[in-house]
């Protein structure tokens, strides 16, 4: 029995109406990718009547797609059963889904920090049951790239012209925030990879929308805009998530809980990551390895932000620093670099005025130094995240080769 608040496809709690049907985000995302990327599946049991449910460890993708269509999901007016029958086959050998040789060589020649991540990838792929997983859909990044591309090619967001740069970005940030109440958040001990992927997809789109609220960024040439965005989103991903967490849960440095997507509360010390369909031993070893990243983020980003008790202005200033700290980015034009230099000088004046005139701080240098240390740690985390994405490709959990190579 499916109630009015359940997904009509898998009976999980519904997130809203997607593609004209009340559904969860996982099923909506699955349907969009299946139709948008012209996918075709074969029934796992050749019976065409498999059970489709969120708690099913080996959900048949053919039957899931058929159920999406049966309950009325439509990507556009032309989506129909005939459309699905015309989609190409996905009977691609597992070995063909790995990274191209050139990408593999580039990854495995990275610096020592990333070499640890390489060892994780080698270990995981040595496990036959992990390497041959069929439970999840590969995150083919073209659909996400098209979403981000559409945002970045839009006209700039109109904001009051008399505001300073930081105030404009602050206004834009507020407009994109979906406020949540703590009592409405679900406490979760376990997250599966579907939920993590969904979070990053929506978050990356919001970051693009926020960047487009900056007039100087919106007017850049497309190549510069894309390269800066590609540099930006890993930098602000953690700091944005943690600022929202502090806003909702407070500044206790011993509290390691984090708010995810304004929907869940997880404890970074105890959360486990679920990989349906693999043995308990593999799950345990996988979680032990990736706890290193969680611990580093809590220790070097979350706790310092709590101790600083950032104001919203300081947080947006930090975001603006992430946006325009592009001097080391390869391929960006000289024009964009000069624009970035001018912008950083202007917001430096604005943070001075904020500290001196609004907060009445005569000696704000120590605080500003601590604030910029958070930025340095974000940059370090960006480097590590690139290794995480490459590992995801090697794992065949999701593919984001286009994103990593800057392709559209």
């Amino acid at each position: 029995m499916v109630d009015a608040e359940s997904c009509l496809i898998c009976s999980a709690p519904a997130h809203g109406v997607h593609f004209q049907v009340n559904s969860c985000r996982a099923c909506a995302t699955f349907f969009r990718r299946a139709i948008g990327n012209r996918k075709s599946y074969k029934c796992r049991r050749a019976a065409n009547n498999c059970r489709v449910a969120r708690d099913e460890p080996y959900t048949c993708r053919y039957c899931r797609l058929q159920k999406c269509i049966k309950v009325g999901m439509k990507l556009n007016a032309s989506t129909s059963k005939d459309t699905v029958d015309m989609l190409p086959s996905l009977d691609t050998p597992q070995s063909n889904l790995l990274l191209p040789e050139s990408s593999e060589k580039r990854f495995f020649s990275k610096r020592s920090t990333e070499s640890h991540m390489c060892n994780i990838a080698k270990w995981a792929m040595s496990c036959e049951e992990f390497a041959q997983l069929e439970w999840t859909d590969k995150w083919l990044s073209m659909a996400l790239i098209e979403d981000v591309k559409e945002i970045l090619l839009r006209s700039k967001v109109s904001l009051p012209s008399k505001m300073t740069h930081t105030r404009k970005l602050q206004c834009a940030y507020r407009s994109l925030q979906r406020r949540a109440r703590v009592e409405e958040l679900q406490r979760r001990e376990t997250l599966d990879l579907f939920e993590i992927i969904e979070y990053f997809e929506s978050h990356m789109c919001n970051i693009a929308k926020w960047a487009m609220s900056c007039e100087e960024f919106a007017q850049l040439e497309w190549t510069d805009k894309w390269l800066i965005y590609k540099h930006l989103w890993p930098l602000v991903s953690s700091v944005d998530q943690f600022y929202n967490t502090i806003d909702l849960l407070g500044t206790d440095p011993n509290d390691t809980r984090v708010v995810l997507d304004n929907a869940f509360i997880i404890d970074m010390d105890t959360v486990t990551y679920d990989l349906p369909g693999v043995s308990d031993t593999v799950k345990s070893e996988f979680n032990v390895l990736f706890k290193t990243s969680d611990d580093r983020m809590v220790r070097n980003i979350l706790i310092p932000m709590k101790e600083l008790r950032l104001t919203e202005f300081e947080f947006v200033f930090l975001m603006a620093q992430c946006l325009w700290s592009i001097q080391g980015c390869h391929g960006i034009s000289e024009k964009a670099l000069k624009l970035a230099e001018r912008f950083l000088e202007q917001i430096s004046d604005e943070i001075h005025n904020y500290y001196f005139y609004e907060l009445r701080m005569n000696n704000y240098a120590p605080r500003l130094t601590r604030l910029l240390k958070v930025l340095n740690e974000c940059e370090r985390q960006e480097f590590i995240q690139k290794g995480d994405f490459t590992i995801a490709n090697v794992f065949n959990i999701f593919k984001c080769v286009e994103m990593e190579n800057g392709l559209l």
Side-chain angles (χ1 to χ4, degrees):
M1 187 76 178
V2 179
D3 61 41
E5 296 183 355
S6 297
C7 172
L8 294 179
I9 294 91
C10 70
S11 301
H15 181 259
V17 177
H18 302 282
F19 306 119
Q20 305 181 42
V21 169
N22 202 42
S23 61
C24 65
R25 284 184 295 183
C27 286
T29 301
F30 167 79
F31 178 76
R32 176 171 63 81
R33 290 171 184 155
I35 300 300
N37 290 308
R38 301 187 62 79
K39 296 184 180 183
S40 179
Y41 306 110
K42 292 182 179 179
C43 179
R44 291 177 57 86
R45 299 187 297 116
N48 298 341
N49 62 355
C50 300
R51 178 174 178 264
V52 179
R54 188 63 181 267
D55 60 356
E56 186 70 30
Y58 294 101
T59 299
C60 173
R61 292 178 290 183
Y62 174 84
C63 292
R64 187 184 189 187
L65 180 56
Q66 295 302 316
K67 190 168 183 181
C68 288
I69 296 168
K70 182 178 179 180
V71 300
M73 273 195 167
K74 293 182 179 181
L75 190 63
N76 52 47
S78 62
T79 303
S80 65
K81 184 178 184 303
D82 293 337
T83 305
V84 177
D85 291 340
M86 293 170 59
L87 299 178
S89 172
L90 282 186
D91 294 332
T92 305
Q94 184 77 10
S95 59
N96 291 344
L97 293 175
L98 297 177
L99 282 172
E101 183 180 357
S102 60
S103 297
E104 239 175 42
K105 287 181 178 178
R106 182 175 68 251
F107 169 57
F108 286 107
S109 63
K110 294 273 187 186
R111 290 182 286 175
S112 59
T113 302
E114 203 164 275
S115 67
H116 170 66
M117 308 303 284
C118 298
N119 290 333
I120 298 174
K122 292 176 181 177
W123 163 80
M125 290 306 294
S126 69
C127 174
E128 183 177 356
E129 67 178 328
F130 191 93
Q132 296 181 353
L133 282 179
E134 298 179 8
W135 69 273
T136 187
D137 310 296
K138 308 298 186 291
W139 185 20
L140 300 177
S141 63
M142 190 56 67
L144 173 59
I145 288 176
E146 288 301 317
D147 289 345
V148 173
K149 178 181 178 181
E150 181 183 354
I151 294 168
L152 296 180
L153 290 176
R154 291 176 187 166
S155 300
K156 65 181 180 66
V157 177
S158 297
L159 292 169
S161 58
K162 293 184 178 180
M163 285 186 175
T164 64
H165 292 299
T166 310
R167 290 297 184 191
K168 287 180 181 179
L169 293 175
Q170 186 177 9
C171 181
Y173 173 77
R174 288 178 180 175
S175 70
L176 291 170
Q177 283 297 98
R178 179 171 57 86
R179 305 301 299 174
R181 293 186 298 178
V182 176
E183 58 269 22
E184 295 175 345
L185 302 176
Q186 299 179 34
R187 273 66 174 175
R188 299 290 295 273
E189 300 295 330
T190 302
L191 285 178
D192 66 44
L193 289 176
F194 273 126
E195 293 167 326
I196 297 170
I197 290 170
E198 290 164 18
Y199 165 72
F200 274 108
E201 185 174 73
S202 63
H203 196 207
M204 288 170 73
C205 289
N206 272 341
I207 291 171
K209 292 175 184 177
W210 176 80
M212 285 298 292
S213 70
C214 178
E215 183 177 0
E216 290 79 2
F217 175 84
Q219 294 178 349
L220 289 173
E221 296 294 329
W222 164 250
T223 301
D224 287 330
K225 196 182 293 185
W226 173 251
L227 290 173
I228 292 174
Y229 169 78
K230 184 184 170 187
H231 170 72
L232 169 69
W233 81 261
L235 284 180
V236 303
S237 179
S238 298
V239 73
D240 183 23
Q241 179 186 11
F242 290 160
Y243 179 77
N244 187 48
T245 294
I246 294 168
D247 188 41
L248 290 169
L249 302 182
T251 58
D252 181 1
N254 297 314
D255 185 358
T256 56
R257 294 177 302 162
V258 169
V259 176
L260 189 66
D261 200 26
N262 275 330
F264 309 129
I265 294 179
I266 61 172
D267 191 324
M268 297 285 274
D269 278 349
T270 60
V271 66
T272 57
Y273 303 108
D274 188 25
L275 286 75
V278 304
S279 69
D280 291 340
T281 300
V282 173
K283 289 181 185 179
S284 176
E285 293 177 353
F286 182 91
N287 275 273
V288 168
L289 288 166
F290 276 87
K291 276 298 179 182
T292 302
S293 176
D294 288 349
D295 293 343
R296 182 173 49 247
M297 289 171 62
V298 169
R299 183 175 63 254
N300 296 331
I301 300 180
L302 178 59
I303 292 177
M305 287 179 64
K306 286 186 172 185
E307 291 174 343
L308 274 169
R309 297 174 181 255
L310 293 181
T311 66
E312 188 179 68
F313 188 93
E314 289 177 308
F315 164 68
V316 174
F317 169 79
L318 190 59
M319 296 262 286
Q321 285 281 336
C322 292
L323 176 61
W324 290 107
S325 297
I326 58 174
Q327 286 72 20
C329 296
H330 178 70
I332 295 178
S333 70
E334 189 66 27
K335 178 181 177 181
L337 290 172
K338 289 181 178 178
L339 176 61
E341 185 177 352
R342 290 196 301 270
F343 195 96
L344 290 173
E345 288 177 356
Q346 290 169 339
I347 64 173
S348 294
D349 290 341
E350 291 169 16
I351 194 71
H352 163 78
N353 292 336
Y354 174 72
Y355 281 140
F356 193 80
Y357 294 109
E358 293 191 39
L359 298 188
R360 304 292 182 181
M361 295 177 63
N362 292 325
N363 182 19
Y364 58 81
R367 182 172 181 83
L368 183 57
T369 299
R370 293 171 65 193
L371 181 63
L372 294 178
K373 280 184 178 179
V374 175
L375 173 61
N376 292 336
E377 185 56 37
C378 290
E379 291 173 340
R380 181 164 167 258
Q381 188 65 28
E382 178 194 15
F383 172 77
I384 296 170
Q385 282 178 333
K386 287 180 180 178
D388 293 341
F389 275 114
T390 308
I391 287 170
N393 278 294
V394 177
F395 285 169
N396 276 327
I397 295 170
F398 61 81
K399 291 183 76 70
C400 200
V401 176
E402 293 90 348
M403 180 68 75
E404 283 300 291
N405 292 331
L407 301 176
L408 293 174

